[in-house]
Structures are given as C-alpha cells and as structure tokens.
Amino acid sequence: MSSVKYGFRGFVLFIVFTLVFAAIAVLVVNNWVSNLDLYIINKVQSVESPFLTSLAKSLSFVGSSQLALELALITMVLLIIVVRHRMELVLFLWVVVLGSQILNMFLKLQFHRARPTIYQMIEQEGHSFPSGHSMTAFSLYVVIAYLLWHSISSKSGRRLLIAGTILITTGIGWSRVYLGVHYPSDVIGGYTASAAWLMLSIGFLQMYRGYQNTPS
C-alpha cells in the first residue's frame, strides 16, 4: 500500500477516534457514566494488596509526563544510532509525544472534571478528564511500536512487540483507576484522544513521505 493510501487511512481513523472521544466526553459532561465509573473503581480497589499497590505506583511512574519525555529523547537517539531511522521519523516521535501532552492540558482546561473523591492512595492535583498518564502512555509506547514494526522481521517478534505495548499501556491505565486518581472514563477518554492525535500525525507523515517519493 502506498504512503498516500496509508495517509488517507490515518485521516479516516483520526475521524473515527475523534468521534469516539466526543461520545465519551458527552457521557462525562452529562454525568451519565458516574455510577458506572464508581462501580468499576470499587471493584478494582476491592482486591487491594501491598503488591498491587506497589505495582500500580510503579506503572503510574512509568506513565508520567517527565519520564515519557526522557524516554522519548533516549528512544530518538537509539533510533538514529541503532535502527538508523531517518530524522523525519525521529522528529515524528517527538511531535507525537509532546503534542499529546499539550493536547491533554488543553482538554483538561476545557472539561474541568474533578478527580474522584473516594479512596485515593496517592495525592494528585489537576483535573481528571482525560487522563494524562493514559494519553502519555498511549502516544509514547504505541508510536515506538509503530516505528519499530518494520525493523522487526519475525512474526514472533512483532507479536511480542504488540503484546508488550498493550500490556504497558493498559497497565498504566489500570494503575490510575486502582490508585483512585482517575475514573475509568478518564482513562478510556485519554486512550481515544491520544489515538486520534496519533492517527492524525501518521496521516500527515505518510502524506509527506508520499510527496517526497513522487517523481519531480
């Protein structure tokens, strides 16, 4: 499939994820998922244990904005030296990760959703929707998987890459609910908002690559 077709697919998926996020936002704004959110939080926290609390705090740290930016810088260097990706792809990683965090700040200012007032295992300031950790985790680890995909030739290696990406992103989302600092709808909203931004970025990247490969 040509770069232009990949770009078009990225734009289509951007629209799809944007609509899904909009639907979640409507549910949140109208408090139509509050009872379900609280029910899920209670269920998740009902299995509280020292091990799970330690795991949740570790995963929450892995999904923090500061660590994400540091990992993005390290990954950019490794992509250039080891995988020998072109500079446009390295910059693409930075645009997706940094752009996702800027988008998260903008969205939180628009919705002003307060954090859960039930049992919180850690202190967390700021607004709740959408989850910044979920957006950061999705944008960072999914885009890394996207960039590494063509560098891995074996099917087992690609499956391991996908499985690892799913585990880390969902694990970070779970940690925010378990620690009581986010509603489940915050986490899902974060995933969909970040997915929309990623698909938009991929769309522009593929269109750019298609333009670069067009004979003059």
Side-chain angles (χ1 to χ4, degrees):
M1 184 179 291
S2 68
S3 295
V4 174
K5 289 184 178 180
Y6 273 122
F8 178 75
R9 177 180 292 182
F11 292 138
V12 171
L13 290 174
F14 159 71
I15 295 173
V16 171
F17 283 116
T18 299
L19 291 175
V20 174
F21 174 79
I24 296 171
V26 169
L27 295 174
V28 168
V29 169
N30 290 281
N31 294 318
W32 291 340
V33 290
S34 298
N35 291 336
L36 180 60
D37 274 335
L38 293 175
Y39 174 80
I40 295 176
I41 292 177
N42 287 327
K43 284 294 183 181
V44 171
Q45 292 187 332
S46 67
V47 294
E48 180 186 357
S49 70
F51 170 75
L52 288 178
T53 301
S54 177
L55 175 63
K57 290 180 178 179
S58 298
L59 287 170
S60 188
F61 174 72
V62 170
S64 63
S65 298
Q66 179 180 353
L67 182 62
L69 292 175
E70 293 173 357
L71 288 176
L73 286 172
I74 295 173
T75 303
M76 288 170 66
V77 174
L78 293 176
L79 286 173
I80 294 175
I81 297 176
V82 180
V83 187
R84 300 187 181 280
H85 270 318
R86 291 183 295 182
M87 181 59 68
E88 67 190 46
L89 296 181
V90 176
L91 292 175
F92 171 72
L93 167 65
W94 188 245
V95 167
V96 171
V97 175
L98 186 60
S100 178
Q101 296 194 29
I102 294 174
L103 177 62
N104 178 257
M105 290 187 291
F106 172 77
L107 291 173
K108 283 190 174 184
L109 289 175
Q110 302 307 306
F111 292 101
H112 287 278
R113 190 186 196 186
R115 293 186 182 274
T117 56
I118 58 176
Y119 178 41
Q120 293 186 0
M121 301 181 193
I122 60 173
E123 292 185 6
Q124 190 76 62
E125 298 180 352
H127 301 298
S128 187
F129 180 82
S131 167
H133 278 67
S134 298
M135 289 188 67
T136 297
F138 192 97
S139 62
L140 174 62
Y141 298 108
V142 173
V143 76
I144 289 176
Y146 170 78
L147 294 175
L148 292 178
W149 178 263
H150 293 292
S151 301
I152 300 175
S153 57
S154 65
K155 290 184 178 180
S156 59
R158 288 183 171 183
R159 289 170 183 165
L160 184 62
L161 177 66
I162 294 174
T165 303
I166 293 174
L167 282 175
I168 191 66
T169 52
T170 56
I172 290 172
W174 163 82
S175 73
R176 306 304 285 170
V177 176
Y178 176 88
L179 294 172
V181 293
H182 274 297
Y183 297 104
S185 54
D186 296 334
V187 172
I188 298 174
Y191 289 151
T192 54
S194 191
W197 171 247
L198 177 59
M199 290 302 105
L200 180 64
S201 302
I202 288 176
F204 279 115
L205 173 67
Q206 294 298 340
M207 286 296 183
Y208 169 78
R209 298 178 76 178
Y211 173 77
Q212 291 292 103
N213 294 329
T214 301
S216 57

